[in-house]
Amino acid sequence: MDHVEVGSMPAWRFGSVDHGLLLAEVPVPQPLAGEVVIDVRAAGMCHTDVGVVQGHLRPAAVPLTLGHEICGTVASIGAGVTGWAAGDRVAVLASSGGPGTGRDGGYASRVAVSTDLLVAVPEGVDDAAAAAATDAGLTAYHAMRVQGEIQPGMRVGVIGLGGLGMIGARLAVLAGAEVYAAELRESLYPAAAEQGVAACSSSITDFADKRLDLVVDFAGMETTRGAFHAVRAGGRIVQVGIGRPEATIDLLDVIAKQVQYRGSSTGTREDLAAFLDLLRRGEVRPHIEQIGFNEIGTGIQRLTRGEVTGRLVAVF
């Protein structure tokens, strides 16, 4: 990044749909009571940011520095903070109303964060992977392990093999499940096979004969109807993706099969710590493309056009 005056820093700010995401100068944050300020080392990029820039999602206040997938080191500590020290490597739990959604986020040199959102990053986990873990990893983990209640021997369907779905598929394999994935992009099938996925197809309904115990929908379009068709009687569907705000389902599937239908969003600090430990052990290796801070604007444009495979992370 270019040199800036003491007391100010560059940040990628959203002000309006007309102007999109712009690089601006903002004051360096100072920690309030119960907060730390973090030197940002990596900030993951998410389709939620695309939704904000396009006007589909409304942040709590504008202008706002985006970036809710954050990893960095503690730079300074506010009053009353215990258990954290300058230099600690931390990941920030992605949360509604937290940095990047309700207050200024991680597309900047520094960010102020409440300590109740901090999780220590284990040695051996790099900054980019830790940043992606705070949302993509966390969300996939919570959907599969917590809401999905996955158990060894289950037959699991995964809809969508994007950044979250590929992680979710791997988590299901690690749990001892037999995994079948629905994805339109056949170019992702070899990567899915490397993660342990048994078979891929363009539609989850192609696996209805497998009597799937659990289907996790990371897409959330017409795919939701297919999930109800593919799941077995008494099975469970977990909804993560919201590609469209509305979906049509066959009520006969719901009633005749007595299907459980659950939503899933983000997760807890415990979930994030557990996922970071999987990264530490090398059991999960998300596909990450790294870019520089000055490329965040074009990165959002690439996400909008669907040109990113896996997760895009800006490394400072």
Side-chain angles (χ1 to χ4, degrees):
M1 287 176 283
D2 295 334
H3 175 74
V4 297
E5 294 180 3
V6 175
S8 68
M9 64 180 185
W12 288 93
R13 307 271 284 173
F14 171 77
S16 68
V17 174
D18 291 339
H19 293 96
L21 199 62
L22 298 175
L23 191 58
E25 289 289 319
V26 299
V28 174
Q30 302 299 318
L32 301 176
E35 293 184 345
V36 301
V37 167
I38 296 170
D39 276 323
V40 180
R41 299 304 183 199
M45 308 188 69
C46 179
H47 282 280
T48 299
D49 299 325
V50 173
V52 171
V53 172
Q54 291 185 326
H56 303 311
L57 299 174
R58 295 182 179 180
V62 290
L64 182 72
T65 301
L66 297 186
H68 57 272
E69 298 185 359
I70 305 166
C71 172
T73 57
V74 175
S76 57
I77 296 173
V81 172
T82 60
W84 301 100
D88 286 347
R89 291 185 68 226
V90 293
V92 180
L93 183 78
S95 64
S96 177
T101 58
R103 58 184 298 184
D104 286 339
Y107 291 167
S109 304
R110 289 190 171 187
V111 60
V113 181
S114 172
T115 56
D116 60 6
L117 298 179
L118 298 181
V119 175
V121 177
E123 289 189 21
V125 178
D126 68 34
D127 294 334
T134 62
D135 187 7
L138 173 67
T139 301
Y141 183 95
H142 188 78
M144 197 63 69
R145 297 285 182 92
V146 181
Q147 295 296 81
E149 297 182 34
I150 195 166
Q151 298 294 326
M154 290 176 67
R155 291 184 175 180
V156 176
V158 173
I159 302 177
L161 288 175
L164 273 71
M166 193 70 82
I167 294 172
R170 178 59 181 167
L171 290 170
V173 170
L174 289 174
E178 188 175 292
V179 182
Y180 299 89
E183 171 58 53
L184 295 176
R185 294 169 291 178
E186 294 185 9
S187 61
L188 296 180
Y189 292 2
E194 291 176 0
Q195 298 295 329
V197 174
C200 297
S201 183
S202 60
S203 174
I204 199 66
T205 59
D206 292 337
F207 300 118
D209 63 329
K210 303 297 183 183
R211 300 185 70 250
L212 300 173
D213 301 290
L214 168 67
V215 177
V216 182
D217 184 2
F218 290 96
M221 294 181 282
E222 64 276 2
T223 54
T224 305
R225 182 185 181 93
F228 278 88
H229 180 70
V231 74
R232 67 165 174 82
R236 183 179 301 117
I237 298 168
V238 175
Q239 189 71 50
V240 181
I242 187 170
R244 293 178 183 173
E246 297 179 352
T248 301
I249 61 175
D250 188 334
L251 292 181
L252 288 176
D253 283 333
V254 179
I255 296 170
K257 293 183 177 181
Q258 300 186 66
V259 173
Q260 299 178 34
Y261 184 47
R262 299 178 177 179
S264 186
S265 175
T266 189
T268 66
R269 291 172 68 185
E270 292 74 20
D271 293 337
L272 178 54
F275 185 78
L276 286 168
D277 193 55
L278 290 174
L279 291 176
R280 180 189 63 81
R281 300 202 303 264
E283 295 183 8
V284 179
R285 296 183 178 89
H287 175 70
I288 293 174
E289 178 187 347
Q290 297 186 17
I291 61 173
F293 175 84
N294 290 329
E295 299 174 276
I296 287 176
T298 55
I300 290 292
Q301 295 172 9
R302 289 178 56 204
L303 280 176
T304 303
R305 296 192 295 265
E307 297 174 356
V308 178
T309 299
R311 301 299 290 185
L312 194 63
V313 178
V315 178
F316 300 2

